[in-house]
Amino acid sequence: MFFLKDLPTREMISGFAHSLDVVDVQKTGDALQMLRRASLLIRQLERYFALHGLSQTQFLVLMILHRDQSKHSHLAAKICEKLDVSKPVISTTLKTMQRRGFIVYCEKAEDSRMKPLRISDAGRELLLKLLPGYFEILQAG
Amino acid sequence: MFFLKDLPTREMISGFAHSLDVVDVQKTGDALQMLRRASLLIRQLERYFALHGLSQTQFLVLMILHRDQSKHSHLAAKICEKLDVSKPVISTTLKTMQRRGFIVYCEKAEDSRMKPLRISDAGRELLLKLLPGYFEILQAG
DNA sequence: ACAATATAGTTAGCATCATAACCAATAACG
DNA sequence: CGTTATTGGTTATGATGCTAACTATATTGT
């Protein structure tokens, strides 16, 4: 991600704005600043994950799988919902995660459309290794 | 973009955290919340731009070109800096923007490596059309 | 002057995301 | 029952981003 490095100044916003009608310069400026901060943070996180061969999505999937230890298995559709990404993304993400050994598919369920899966030991190990740095980046941001 | 729909609760953060050392639950939670809000906002903006055949990057390029009316022409490298995206992205973005008539290349400069360009009338028109909605979304977010 | 370096921009290759269209299996319902 | 709708998941296609490697021109430094 990214976002304007040199944020529009208040002057500039009101410059754009005064030809328009109702622009709350303060609110707009805040929103832009937030977008910028978030972009930088996301970038930092992505770089951190990439350093360990994960994408952010993969990391978040690991979080979800690990978090809910009560469930013995999870479904792509549910992960999809929690993560708020499209189905195809989860589909391919899970495939590569399986290839790399971070998740394993369980035995089939009664409903044979479903492909229940869970985090593997390697996956959990990696997640736990990355968590401290993850929180550190979040806090500093 | 995207980010965890159901944000990690404080309990969850401290759940992850207590095995770790120093985690400021408050700060971490705030950061996650910001990421989530920013993701939603960016998504909304992208949808808005897409509705008018622009990507966010294209829109921001238009902003930059329009903003600095003092300069008669701009360079890809400078845009790149201001926007904080990689060179190749600007390169291809500008190419498609030219194809669609939103920018025009000026006469060559003395330094023949440079390809000075400026916003076209069509580009400026589109930008001005989109600005109100842009600010509206920002404010609401 | 000329070799080494830096800069502007492009191209190639890859990862990730999205939407749309598609199976296959289950559920709903007349 | 049997047709229709829904649901879990995949595949196809296209947009956008990145890094690395490239061309071509300018600049620096000896």
Side-chain angles (χ1 to χ4, degrees), chain B residues 31-98:
Chain B
L32 286 171
Q33 200 165 348
M34 180 189 71
L35 287 177
R36 173 70 185 155
R37 276 187 55 208
S39 295
L40 289 179
L41 197 47
I42 290 174
R43 217 184 239 181
Q44 223 179 320
L45 288 171
E46 277 173 350
R47 196 154 35 223
Y48 175 65
F49 296 139
L51 226 61
H52 298 84
L54 282 184
S55 71
Q56 180 177 221
T57 304
Q58 287 174 4
F59 177 80
L60 292 176
V61 168
L62 287 182
M63 289 258 287
I64 288 175
L65 295 183
H66 170 74
R67 171 160 102 189
D68 211 335
Q69 309 240 20
S70 59
K71 287 190 183 53
H72 183 259
S73 71
H74 295 254
L75 294 180
K78 293 295 179 184
I79 298 174
C80 206
E81 252 175 52
K82 292 186 180 171
L83 217 55
D84 205 6
V85 288
S86 64
K87 280 196 305 179
V89 169
I90 288 297
S91 184
T92 59
T93 298
L94 290 178
K95 200 190 296 181
T96 76
M97 288 180 77
Q98 180 199 23

Side-chain angles (χ1 to χ4, degrees), chain A residues 55 57-58 85-86 88-89 93 110-113:
Chain A
S55 71
T57 304
Q58 287 175 4
V85 288
S86 64
V89 169
T93 298
E110 336 69 76
D111 187 332
S112 66
R113 285 171 305 183

Side-chain angles (χ1 to χ4, degrees), chain A residues 63 67 135, chain B residues 4 6-17:
Chain A
M63 288 258 287
R67 172 161 102 188
F135 282 121
Chain B
L4 280 181
D6 57 344
L7 283 171
T9 59
R10 304 219 172 301
E11 296 76 51
M12 184 218 135
I13 296 173
S14 46
F16 272 131

